[in-house]
Amino acid sequence: MDTSFQQIMVDPTLAEMGKNLNEAMRILEDGHRESEEQQRHSRKDIPGPLQGSGQDVAHILQVVQNLMHGDENEDSQSHRRMQNVGEQGHMALLGHSLAAYISVLDKERLRKLTTRILSDTTLWLCRLFRYENGSAYYHEDDREGLLKVCRLVIHSRFDDYSTEGFNMLYNKQPVIYQSAACRSGLGQHLCNQLGLPLSSLCTVPCNTMFGSQHQMDVALLDRLIKDNVDSGKLPLLLIANAGTPAAGHTDKLGRLKELCAQYSMWLHVEGVNLATLALPYVKSSVMAATQCDSMTLTLGPWLGLPAVPAVTLYRHEDPALSLAAGLTSIQPVEKLRALPLWLSLQYLGHDGIVERIRHASQLSQRLLDHLTKQTSITTAVEDDLNSPVVVFRFSQTDANSAQSGGPLETLPSNEREIQDTLNRWLGEQLALLVPASGVDIVDLEDEGSCVRFSPLMTAAVLGTKDEDVDMLAERLQEKIPVLISTLRLREEFREEVHCIAALTYIEDLSWPGLGTVRYELSSEEPDENKRQAELEKISSMLLKKLKELDSDLTFSTGPEFGPEKNCLYIGMATEDLDVAELVEMIAAIGREIEENSRLLENMTEVVRKGILEAELQLQKATEEKLLEEGVLRQLPVVGSVLNWFSPVQSLVKGRTFNLAAGSVDSTEPTYSMKAQSTGETPPPTPTSARTKHRLPGQKLFRRSLASSDCVSETSSVGQVEELEKEELREPAPEGREADVQKEPEPEPEQRGETPGEGEGGEQEGKREPEVEGRETEHPDSLR
């Protein structure tokens, strides 16, 4: 590899550097210094990696690799970006390394080389994006270009600004206009960097009556400019969007350019839709951006190029003012920022650049075609036929109409917040299931929380394909019934919880699921801290038991820093969910856990009291034995002799502790009967959970889809009773017939039943005479 690398290197300096690399590393690793000299020059305040003679390259690279990849158990979503860098990305990374080497050339060669790189890159970009006679400024921060443009406009409009400074702005305050749909914090950043007050920033609202609600209101902008001119202010610059950051809509750039020309304002355009200027066919609304005064291009995400600078193209005829504003530099090293783009654009070529942008546009149109076939999905795109950014959301209005088949229902007041919560959940699920799609969540002022698909910003980096868009549409189709069912069952879940005294419904509109409940203790505990501790213990055990159930529902403790504590959060639900059974099961399990906890506490107290009682009885028995046998028998030697001449017949009197009764009993019956008495068996702890007949493979809390829309609580209980009656009608197996004959039939009062009670009781009454008759005819069999 080293030999081939040296062969392709023409520069002898690079070849010599590669040849001596191993020698330099060996010198760093040897360290021929004396130990006394190391101790003399060592300092305790120097960090560990800097101590000694330095680290070897392999160790440093290993540290970098560990910092990049982190823990193996962590979800490394950012690694996918590195996997799709491609050869064009390698060229961009190579440009940074070459820039560091080129910077050490002599001044004359460096000046010629940087001038060539800068002029070539600027010419290529202006031709690609139809911006004739433009200059370019390359910057790392995508806001830096607009900031330099603002400085240029200030120098142009205020002649003595370079000498007088802000004194020129005192009499005539400049005003910067931006759309309400502009990037968040952009105007504040400009004012802070320019030293202007926030009163110099004017935010123009979007349309409310006509046109897109994400476009700047041109009529209102005209009135605002007139008001500022009448008040003695100077309209300076207007920031327009060719693709708003959230929804991807384009302002009416043609009318805005006319308005700026009327008031001698500078028009700056930015947005993702500017990438479509490189395509053969461009929309007229975007084509108007070629007439603006400046535009900012972010080629890195558009073309999948890592660590390449953003570019601001502008038109201005005075190079001195451009130099004063910082748009140009006399330092050759500053011009090397264009080197990664210079290499990458040559590698891609015109066809490669156009193909990547066209592919991203086709992905948006492909998803838009899928969404038009989806029910309960609304879109907020600018143009149904051609929209580089697709924004969609789940709509409860369409869900209600599709579910009921009738007119739209009146939505509750908290409908907007519930919809936003479910759409955030939908966006998270789609991003998790189809990570190559690059979808994210965006909050719009009018629509609320939506899912955004912007392939121009993500497709080249993530390697999004047509199959990924198709899979995204399939996963979306799978999630729509879950969203509809959850919305339909939320109110039913609330009503069922209100019917159970042991449960409290917690209103949490930010939780995307069926709802939130909390189990309440049945016993009154005066100590609040003890009560909260017990409630937390029961809630954790309840959550553990519910997770162990064979069901499709998800149970969790909710957000880590949520306002409610000790609550049970239930996830999304499907159409066949039996809400009544779910609520009763939660209450029954919680009650069982509480009773078992209370039984354990009572048992602890009973054991403690039983031990004390046993100690008292043993002490009393010892005193009685002393009185009965006398003092002499207790002496070591005398007692043995006396017992030999006159033995004493003493009975073994032990004690046994009955946990069920909580009493200390004597062991005399055990030794007399040679068997331990069992006593009475305590009754089992009753539970209120319904025993529901389930089909093989059917999970808990599920009901048949055929009766899910019409089965009520009463009818479902009736079905359970019918199933029990059918089981009673079935004849007993042959293997169990002998057992039935051998076991005496209990009386009706002992079974807790009365003859003739229900249909099952009649069947029992018909079989009893036959069993008794067999017992009378064959008494020997009973023996």
Side-chain angles (χ1 to χ4, degrees):
M1 178 178 177
D2 295 340
T3 305
S4 60
F5 180 75
Q6 293 179 6
Q7 289 177 356
I8 64 175
M9 279 297 178
V10 181
D11 195 327
T13 305
L14 291 178
E16 186 69 18
M17 179 175 21
K19 180 180 178 180
N20 297 331
L21 179 61
N22 293 332
E23 182 67 19
M25 294 176 60
R26 186 185 62 80
I27 295 175
L28 290 176
E29 293 174 356
D30 287 345
H32 297 290
R33 299 178 183 178
E34 299 292 337
S35 58
E36 294 84 2
E37 185 178 357
Q38 292 181 356
Q39 295 179 359
R40 184 168 60 251
H41 292 283
S42 62
R43 290 170 51 185
K44 295 182 179 180
D45 58 341
I46 298 298
L50 301 183
Q51 291 182 358
S53 58
Q55 305 289 337
D56 56 75
V57 177
H59 177 73
I60 296 175
L61 293 179
Q62 183 64 38
V63 172
V64 174
Q65 181 179 0
N66 295 337
L67 293 176
M68 289 172 58
H69 297 286
D71 191 359
E72 296 180 356
N73 298 327
E74 295 179 356
D75 185 16
S76 54
Q77 302 241 349
S78 60
H79 293 179
R80 300 187 182 94
R81 294 180 177 270
M82 300 180 61
Q83 295 174 0
N84 295 279
V85 168
E87 292 294 333
Q88 74 276 6
H90 294 162
M91 295 298 296
L93 298 177
L94 178 62
H96 290 277
S97 301
L98 289 178
Y101 169 69
I102 293 174
S103 63
V104 301
L105 298 177
D106 59 89
K107 293 183 178 180
E108 185 62 24
R109 296 177 62 185
L110 178 61
R111 184 186 62 81
K112 293 181 179 180
L113 181 58
T114 54
T115 302
R116 170 69 182 275
I117 293 173
L118 185 63
S119 60
D120 287 351
T121 310
T122 302
L123 177 63
W124 298 342
L125 292 176
C126 289
R127 293 291 177 85
L128 283 172
F129 294 97
R130 308 171 188 268
Y131 197 81
E132 299 297 335
N133 301 324
S135 302
Y137 172 66
Y138 303 88
H139 46 93
E140 302 298 332
D141 189 353
D142 55 1
R143 302 172 299 181
E144 186 69 20
L146 178 57
L147 177 62
K148 300 295 185 181
V149 166
C150 291
R151 296 185 186 276
L152 174 63
V153 180
I154 292 177
H155 280 279
S156 301
R157 298 300 299 274
F158 298 93
D159 297 334
D160 297 333
Y161 180 76
S162 57
T163 57
E164 298 295 332
F166 290 102
N167 292 328
M168 298 298 299
L169 309 180
Y170 180 76
N171 295 328
K172 213 167 190 179
Q173 181 181 353
V175 180
I176 301 174
Y177 300 88
Q178 69 170 3
S179 171
C182 207
R183 281 188 290 172
S184 177
L186 178 62
Q188 289 80 357
H189 174 75
L190 295 177
C191 291
N192 292 335
Q193 296 298 318
L194 296 173
L196 298 177
L198 291 181
S199 58
S200 297
L201 179 64
C202 181
T203 301
V204 183
C206 296
N207 296 324
T208 56
M209 298 295 295
F210 305 100
S212 171
Q213 296 181 352
H214 303 279
Q215 291 180 347
M216 187 185 304
D217 192 339
V218 181
L220 182 57
L221 172 64
D222 190 8
R223 292 197 299 268
L224 291 174
I225 294 176
K226 290 180 179 179
D227 294 341
N228 290 330
V229 171
D230 295 340
S231 60
K233 297 182 179 180
L234 177 65
L236 189 69
L237 180 139
L238 172 63
I239 307 173
N241 292 295
T244 55
H249 291 205
T250 302
D251 291 326
K252 300 175 182 178
L253 301 179
R255 294 184 57 188
L256 293 178
K257 178 58 181 177
E258 296 175 358
L259 196 62
C260 290
Q262 178 182 353
Y263 293 98
S264 301
M265 294 174 57
W266 185 284
L267 177 60
H268 178 82
V269 181
E270 60 180 19
V272 66
N273 292 348
L274 292 176
T276 60
L277 290 173
L279 299 177
Y281 301 99
V282 187
K283 295 171 57 177
S284 59
S285 59
V286 181
M287 182 63 76
T290 59
Q291 303 302 321
C292 65
D293 298 299
S294 62
M295 65 169 65
T296 298
L297 310 176
T298 54
L299 298 173
W302 296 352
L303 304 178
L305 303 176
V308 296
V311 184
T312 296
L313 302 179
Y314 65 96
R315 294 190 183 98
H316 200 268
E317 298 178 355
D318 192 348
L321 294 182
S322 300
L323 179 62
L327 289 170
T328 58
S329 176
I330 60 175
Q331 298 294 332
V333 179
E334 295 290 334
K335 301 178 182 179
L336 287 176
R337 291 180 181 176
L339 181 59
L341 273 177
W342 187 74
L343 295 174
S344 301
L345 293 178
Q346 293 182 83
Y347 180 84
L348 290 174
H350 178 262
D351 293 341
I353 296 171
V354 173
E355 177 59 28
R356 278 162 175 76
I357 299 176
R358 180 188 290 113
H359 175 66
S361 301
Q362 291 174 352
L363 291 177
S364 298
Q365 189 60 40
R366 190 181 188 91
L367 179 61
L368 196 57
D369 294 339
H370 283 295
L371 294 179
T372 55
K373 305 174 185 177
Q374 300 276 10
T375 59
S376 307
I377 293 295
T378 59
T379 58
V381 296
E382 182 181 12
D383 186 0
D384 295 336
L385 301 178
N386 186 6
S387 179
V389 181
V390 179
V391 177
F392 61 93
R393 64 183 271 110
F394 169 74
S395 175
Q396 185 184 11
T397 304
D398 293 342
N400 289 336
S401 60
Q403 184 70 23
S404 61
L408 299 180
E409 301 177 356
T410 303
L411 301 180
S413 58
N414 55 4
E415 154 69 11
R416 171 69 178 270
E417 189 170 355
I418 296 176
Q419 277 194 0
D420 291 346
T421 300
L422 294 180
N423 278 282
R424 284 192 292 268
W425 175 85
L426 177 62
E428 294 172 357
Q429 291 295 312
L430 294 178
L432 182 64
L433 295 174
V434 194
S437 64
V439 295
D440 58 353
I441 305 169
V442 60
D443 292 325
L444 302 181
E445 182 178 359
D446 297 319
E447 291 83 356
S449 297
C450 300
V451 183
R452 178 178 58 185
F453 178 65
S454 182
L456 278 172
M457 299 297 293
T458 59
V461 176
L462 300 179
T464 310
K465 301 179 181 179
D466 295 342
E467 294 79 7
D468 299 322
V469 176
D470 297 338
M471 184 180 296
L472 179 66
E474 293 176 2
R475 297 295 176 265
L476 177 61
Q477 182 67 27
E478 294 173 359
K479 296 301 179 182
I480 289 177
V482 178
L483 293 168
I484 295 176
S485 302
T486 303
L487 281 174
R488 184 174 60 85
L489 296 175
R490 280 177 70 99
E491 188 63 28
E492 182 181 351
F493 178 76
R494 179 207 295 266
E495 295 175 357
E496 291 290 344
V497 171
H498 286 326
C499 296
I500 304 297
L503 300 178
T504 300
Y505 182 82
I506 305 299
E507 186 72 26
D508 189 356
L509 300 179
S510 62
W511 172 251
L514 192 61
T516 308
V517 296
R518 179 171 55 219
Y519 181 80
E520 301 294 346
L521 299 177
S522 59
S523 60
E524 296 292 338
E525 179 62 44
D527 190 358
E528 184 64 23
N529 294 333
K530 186 176 180 181
R531 182 179 181 278
Q532 290 295 332
E534 184 177 0
L535 182 60
E536 181 178 358
K537 179 181 177 181
I538 293 177
S539 300
S540 61
M541 295 179 65
L542 175 61
L543 177 61
K544 181 180 179 181
K545 286 186 173 294
L546 288 174
K547 286 184 175 181
E548 295 174 355
L549 296 177
D550 185 17
S551 67
D552 294 330
L553 291 174
T554 58
F555 303 93
S556 65
T557 56
E560 182 178 0
F561 302 102
E564 300 292 340
K565 302 297 182 182
N566 303 323
C567 294
L568 180 65
Y569 289 78
I570 306 173
M572 306 295 287
T574 55
E575 184 181 1
D576 58 344
L577 177 65
D578 192 340
V579 178
E581 181 187 2
L582 170 63
V583 174
E584 290 185 6
M585 179 68 74
I586 295 174
I589 296 177
R591 190 179 301 110
E592 181 181 357
I593 295 174
E594 184 181 4
E595 291 176 356
N596 293 338
S597 178
R598 191 181 299 111
L599 178 62
L600 182 61
E601 294 179 359
N602 296 338
M603 186 178 297
T604 304
E605 184 66 20
V606 169
V607 170
R608 188 182 65 82
K609 293 182 179 179
I611 293 174
L612 295 178
E613 183 179 355
E615 291 178 351
L616 293 176
Q617 292 187 10
L618 290 176
Q619 183 179 0
K620 183 179 180 181
T622 303
E623 295 176 356
E624 292 178 353
K625 180 180 179 181
L626 181 62
L627 294 176
E628 180 181 356
E629 298 178 358
V631 179
L632 294 178
R633 292 183 182 272
Q634 310 303 321
L635 299 177
V637 180
V638 179
S640 301
V641 176
L642 188 58
N643 291 332
W644 184 77
F645 283 105
S646 177
V648 177
Q649 299 294 333
S650 61
L651 298 176
V652 178
K653 295 182 179 181
R655 296 293 185 271
T656 179
F657 182 65
N658 191 345
L659 288 176
S663 60
V664 180
D665 302 329
S666 176
T667 58
E668 292 182 4
T670 302
Y671 290 100
S672 61
M673 299 174 59
K674 305 299 182 180
Q676 186 175 1
S677 60
T678 58
E680 298 181 357
T681 302
T685 303
T687 60
S688 61
R690 296 183 301 175
T691 303
K692 183 178 179 180
H693 181 76
R694 289 191 294 162
L695 299 175
Q698 183 181 3
K699 296 189 176 183
L700 285 175
F701 317 129
R702 290 290 176 264
R703 55 189 176 189
S704 60
L705 292 176
S707 59
S708 60
D709 297 333
C710 58
V711 175
S712 62
E713 179 69 20
T714 306
S715 61
S716 60
V717 175
Q719 289 181 357
V720 175
E721 294 177 355
E722 290 294 332
L723 291 172
E724 293 177 353
K725 294 174 183 178
E726 291 178 2
E727 293 175 357
L728 292 176
R729 294 193 189 100
E730 296 177 358
E734 296 178 359
R736 294 289 297 171
E737 186 173 354
D739 298 339
V740 174
Q741 294 178 1
K742 293 180 181 180
E743 297 177 2
E745 185 70 13
E747 293 296 329
E749 292 78 8
Q750 296 177 0
R751 295 197 311 266
E753 301 175 356
T754 57
E757 180 180 354
E759 188 177 350
E762 294 176 3
Q763 297 294 333
E764 292 288 343
K766 293 179 182 179
R767 291 200 300 268
E768 284 179 4
E770 299 177 3
V771 177
E772 291 178 1
R774 287 196 298 269
E775 292 176 356
T776 306
E777 292 174 4
H778 305 281
D780 296 337
S781 62
L782 297 178
R783 301 190 185 94

